Amino acid sequence: MLTAPTSYPRKVLLVFGTRPEAIKMAPLYLELSKHPDEIEVAVCLTAQHREMLDQVIRFFGIPARYDLNLMKPGQNLHNLTAAIIEGMKPVLEDFRPDYVFVHGDTTTSMAAALAAFYSGAKVGHVEAGLRTFNKQSPFPEEMNRSITGRIADIHFAPTQQSRENLLREDIAEQHIVVTGNTVIDALQHGLRLIEEAEPESVRLLKQQLPMHRDVILVTGHRRENFGEGFLSICRALKRIAEHADAEIVYPVHLNPNVQGPVYELLSDVSNIHLIDPQPYESFIWLMNKSRLIITDSGGVQEEAPSLGKPVLVMRDTTERPEAVSAGTVILVGTDENRIVKETLDLLYDTERYDRMARLHNPYGDGKATKRIAQFLLTNHKHEYVS
Ligand code: UD1
Ligand code: UDP
């Protein structure tokens, strides 16, 4: 358990660097900011991502007190890790946080947690306890989150299953709070905002895409799929485009290992639309409009069940088994024939489709950030029961 507060405000530094971390930390920043007498909260961006990160902080209106601006084209894990640890030192010396909060499983999360530990700050891990127990898959995320878990003082686990994973690793029960996943807080916030006023990026998409037809939404970026995995995925998408009466919409991740094969193999297919990574607001709009989603993304696996969209996951393992058990997510790996077969089956077998397209929320109820704030304010657990 955290030590009882001796003085307020508690200083909390949120550190993040990639698109998904920003989406899931933005609502936490907004929530913690509501308690200025008790919590002084600041954001440090590593900018492991640049454009894809900026899209998110612009939409949620998150001010960055610190920005390490580290992204380099085609960066490697070794340099990035070293640069984050080194870059965090002066930030930690300047802000002198009581707590550093990191999110999930990226290299930013792992390296920032280590830097915080070196500087004597307590570490809070948001989205703690997800595991595949296979250190090569997802690579390097499984190891990043295990290391972050060893360092963390307080673990905000999204589900009971993630809590149990931590208990199996001998993390003390009193250091774990089950909160639900902040991704659902972000999704609810985002859906509210786009309902209030149509974003410019949505208006542009409507002009650009034939949205009157069924849409299959695709995303992909996992390192373990680079090379043969991506070639196989692209061949599968080409075959699906030939046989399905649908439009495939694919916002292509900016990683050059993804851009290369995807643009080379799929540019000239008339019902495949390769578009830029979308701002969060138009991506959630697209998810809502789509018939089904094919992805290897972690965050999309969590959002889609909340929107009642079936998901085919192009991975062999997942650290998010809850939606698989509930039957709205199927793991299909990167085998070309399997992706084609499962997609076409799902498009044309209405009964099967209806069974999968069921609205449910295994990952949260939209109050995860409130529970984290309450824990900081009172030192008592206000837990999520799924
Ligand atoms: C990273 C995370 C991964 C997370 C993913 C979310 C690690 C090791 N990987 O993977 O866990 O699921 O983000 O998308 O932490 N790039 C740009 N602009 C951007 C973003 C990326 O040009 O805004 C390009 C750059 O060339 C960059 C490359 O993509 O060097 C790779 O970025 P990096 O963060 O290292 O890896 P991701 O594959 O994005
Ligand atoms: N997303 C987005 N624009 C896109 C594709 C995805 O805003 O063009 C959002 C999506 O809603 C989800 C998150 O990005 O919340 C997932 O990020 P990504 O797949 O890059 O990383 P992962 O979740 O696999 O770590």
Side-chain angles (χ1 to χ4, degrees), residues 1-2 11-15 25 88 92 97-104 108-126 128 144-156 171 175-177 372 375-376:
M1 190 73 73
L2 295 174
K11 297 185 77 170
V12 182
L13 185 67
L14 307 186
V15 185
M25 290 292 250
M88 285 304 303
L92 292 160
D98 299 303
Y99 304 103
V100 170
F101 279 12
V102 297
H103 182 278
T108 286
S109 324
M110 183 272 291
L114 188 56
F117 167 68
Y118 287 162
S119 295
K122 286 201 159 70
V123 174
H125 191 195
V126 182
N144 281 346
R145 60 179 146 237
S146 303
I147 295 170
T148 308
R150 292 310 306 165
I151 297 170
D153 298 279
I154 178 75
H155 307 255
F156 299 108
I171 303 290
H175 294 161
I176 307 169
V177 191
I372 297 172
F375 185 76
L376 269 182

Side-chain angles (χ1 to χ4, degrees), residues 19-20 23-24 49 52 55-56 105 183 219 221-222 251 253 276-281 283-284 287 295-300 303 320:
R19 169 173 69 190
I23 290 168
K24 293 165 168 183
H49 284 175
M52 287 160 56
Q55 284 178 331
V56 180
D105 58 16
V183 76
T219 78
H221 69 85
R222 299 244 81 87
H253 193 289
D276 289 338
Q278 289 299 296
Y280 184 60
E281 58 273 31
F283 189 76
I284 58 179
M287 276 198 291
T295 188
D296 63 16
S297 161
V300 176
E303 293 159 337
R320 293 163 169 95

